[in-house]
Amino acid sequence: MARDFAGKRALVLGVANKRSIAWAIAQELAAGGATLAFTYQGERIEKSVRDLAATVDTSLVTECDVRSDGDLARVFGEVGEAFGGELDILVHSVAFAHAEDLEGRFTDTPRDRFLLAIDISAYSLVACARAAEPLMEKAGGGSIVTMTYLGGERAVPHYNVMGVAKATLDASVRYLAWDLGRKNIRVNAVSAGPVRTLAARSIAGFPTMEAIVEERAPLHRHVTAEDVGAAAAYLLGDGAVNVTGTTLYVDSGYHSMGM
Ligand code: NAD
Ligand code: 0WE
């Protein structure tokens, strides 16, 4: 059966509002019967995340800035308490680069903002996986999914330092999959085509990117958060029992084209 998450306990990082990819994934998990924990970054979006969390079976909503080791230690402590020391599923759907680094030339990226983008968008997966490891081991195994983008493998104009961060994230998925495989913990990524979310809408030229996908991708249609949620649910579920260290493209086939 598709989407059977009965009795599963999941932690979801990266919900900002109802358009967030993380929220589409959370809804899939909730529909399959999972119990959820959510983190949010900053008081600005706390209410939005609490309101969404209240519509599903939620055990915990707590603040987490993934740059902070202190926040991560507290959050995974709270998750352990909420879920009896166990965790089955981790959804990592977090990325950030300074807006000015997503325009202009990659060449001009200063050191501090290069490191910031990699810290928030890639290292955070490593830190979360390490903190989740004992909880998932106690559960007999687990599944981790993160969100990536083609700009980590090819040069997409203006994606710039985020592309370097996604390349780091993609490699981290493979090394985490190797380390954690012995504990029956799977680690995978979903590579989504452009999806109209909060993080994406503020980007100049986003409608142009959607139009390019609609013109050139084999399926000639743009991607929605719901499409991404369904693919993530597959990787997070028992149907993907022997799938780890890989990337599932939900991009209407765009990545397979050479023109
Ligand atoms: P979104 O804005 O809804 O989600 C991004 C999240 O990152 C937000 O919830 C934000 O609070 C969180 N975040 C940023 N800095 C943080 C920090 N320091 N600590 C904790 N959380 C922090 O946008 P989205 O499009 O749903 O993005 C989710 C993921 O999907 C990102 O990894 C993004 O790169 C990836 N992605 C998006 C697209 C797209 O076109 N929207 C395509 C491919 C991949
Ligand atoms: O990963 C992303 C976007 C992530 C993102 C978005 C923002 C906007 C607001 C990271 N940091 C910020 N910082 C902000 O201040 N995507 C895959 C969507 C995206 O972003 C692009 C894209 C695509 C696609 C930027 C330039 C070119 C293409």
Side-chain angles (χ1 to χ4, degrees), residues 11-201:
L11 171 63
V12 179
L13 292 89
V15 178
N17 57 44
K18 68 177 200 290
R19 291 204 173 76
S20 294
I21 289 170
W23 177 240
I25 300 171
Q27 284 177 288
E28 287 278 343
L29 297 173
T35 303
L36 302 179
F38 294 94
T39 70
Y40 61 89
Q41 186 212 6
E43 285 170 26
R44 216 167 25 84
I45 60 169
E46 176 173 2
K47 185 177 185 323
S48 152
V49 176
R50 285 196 185 279
D51 288 351
L52 290 169
T55 67
V56 294
D57 178 11
T58 301
S59 292
L60 176 71
V61 181
T62 193
E63 184 165 6
C64 184
D65 184 329
V66 296
R67 285 170 295 188
S68 161
D69 290 331
D71 272 19
L72 287 168
R74 174 183 49 74
V75 166
F76 280 87
E78 291 174 4
V79 167
E81 272 176 37
F83 291 153
E86 299 186 12
L87 181 67
D88 305 290
I89 288 169
L90 175 72
V91 176
H92 175 277
S93 185
V94 170
F96 184 81
H98 270 279
E100 56 202 294
D101 294 330
L102 297 175
E103 45 194 58
R105 301 192 326 150
F106 169 67
T107 313
D108 297 328
T109 313
R111 189 191 303 265
D112 59 338
R113 298 207 304 258
F114 184 103
L115 296 175
L116 175 82
I118 288 180
D119 185 16
I120 295 177
S121 314
Y123 183 74
S124 61
L125 176 71
V126 184
C128 287
R130 186 169 57 246
E133 181 179 358
L135 302 174
M136 289 185 164
E137 187 174 13
K138 191 162 176 243
S143 183
I144 299 175
V145 160
T146 188
M147 293 302 313
T148 191
Y149 177 61
L150 187 65
E153 306 168 64
R154 321 272 176 74
V156 173
H158 305 303
Y159 200 61
N160 294 1
V161 71
M162 268 308 305
V164 174
K166 290 304 190 191
T168 306
L169 180 75
D170 295 350
S172 301
V173 165
R174 294 184 284 270
Y175 283 97
L176 288 169
W178 167 246
D179 278 357
L180 301 179
R182 276 190 206 283
K183 296 184 173 171
N184 192 32
I185 300 169
R186 300 182 293 104
V187 188
N188 293 289
V190 175
S191 182
V195 180
R196 216 174 274 216
T197 60
L198 180 69
R201 270 185 312 168

Side-chain angles (χ1 to χ4, degrees), residues 185-248:
I185 300 169
R186 300 182 293 104
V187 188
N188 293 289
V190 175
S191 182
V195 180
R196 216 174 274 216
T197 60
L198 180 69
R201 270 185 312 168
S202 59
I203 288 145
F206 199 80
T208 313
M209 283 189 284
E210 280 183 327
I212 288 172
V213 169
E214 282 162 15
E215 183 190 326
R216 299 193 198 163
L219 294 172
H220 299 289
R221 56 187 178 232
H222 65 84
V223 172
T224 68
E226 290 66 39
D227 306 333
V228 178
Y234 159 69
L235 289 171
L236 291 169
D238 293 339
V241 63
N242 275 334
V243 180
T244 196
T246 198
T247 301
L248 182 52

